[in-house]
């Protein structure tokens, strides 16, 4: 996986963090153009955190997700409110939420091809 290809980051803030398999649900939601306005992306999220980082391959995918600002993911238990915004990055200092050890683990990739909308 070429991390440099996913250079359009978004910070995701979660209303709660005790949802089982939340990382999978975030991937599925943000890859959907119909529900989230998203597209092909990677996600960095650790269980029990209230934040995640999405990295989109295309700037226009990120722009559509940001334009929506507040997102709701439908769960069996109800709805999870998610807020997204552009990160405050300094040039030359990439936004990271994981340690070097965690970065060596495979990431999750979203691909927007499965949603017709």
């Amino acid at each position: 996986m070429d991390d440099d290809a996913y250079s359009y980051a978004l910070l995701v803030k979660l209303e709660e963090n005790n949802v089982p398999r939340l990382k999978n649900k975030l991937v599925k939601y943000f890859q959907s153009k119909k529900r989230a306005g998203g597209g092909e992306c990677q996600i960095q999220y650790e269980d029990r955190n209230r934040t995640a980082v999405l990295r989109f391959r295309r700037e226009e995918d990120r722009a559509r997700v940001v334009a929506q600002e507040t997102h709701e993911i439908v769960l069996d238990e109800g709805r999870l409110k998610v807020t997204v915004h552009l990160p405050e990055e300094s040039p030359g200092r990439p936004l990271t939420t994981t340690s070097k050890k965690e970065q060596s683990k495979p990431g999750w990739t979203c691909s927007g091809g499965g949603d017709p909308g």
Side-chain angles (χ1 to χ4, degrees), residues 1-76:
M1 190 178 332
D2 184 8
D3 288 341
D4 292 336
Y6 297 88
S7 53
Y8 302 101
L10 268 184
L11 187 61
V12 178
K13 292 192 177 184
L14 308 168
E15 184 179 63
E16 60 181 283
N17 61 356
N18 60 350
V19 177
R21 298 178 303 283
L22 182 56
K23 188 171 186 174
N24 293 345
K25 291 173 174 122
L26 289 170
V27 168
K28 188 174 179 180
Y29 178 80
F30 283 107
Q31 76 182 1
S32 171
K33 284 189 176 165
K34 185 176 181 180
R35 290 181 285 169
E40 191 172 347
C41 62
Q42 294 178 335
I43 189 164
Q44 291 176 294
Y45 173 75
E46 294 179 25
D47 286 340
R48 306 288 181 225
N49 275 346
R50 293 190 82 134
T51 59
V53 176
L54 286 174
R55 294 183 184 280
F56 288 93
R57 184 178 287 270
R58 297 175 9 160
E59 187 173 13
E60 51 270 27
D61 293 339
R62 177 180 72 172
R64 282 192 309 270
V65 171
V66 169
Q68 195 170 329
E69 193 172 318
T70 301
H71 298 263
E72 284 190 351
I73 300 174
V74 178
L75 305 168
D76 293 337

Side-chain angles (χ1 to χ4, degrees), residues 84-102:
V84 298
H85 60 87
L86 296 172
E88 295 179 18
E89 280 189 63
S90 300
R93 290 187 65 212
L95 178 68
T96 58
T97 59
T98 55
S99 66
K100 291 281 185 195
K101 180 180 173 185
E102 287 294 318

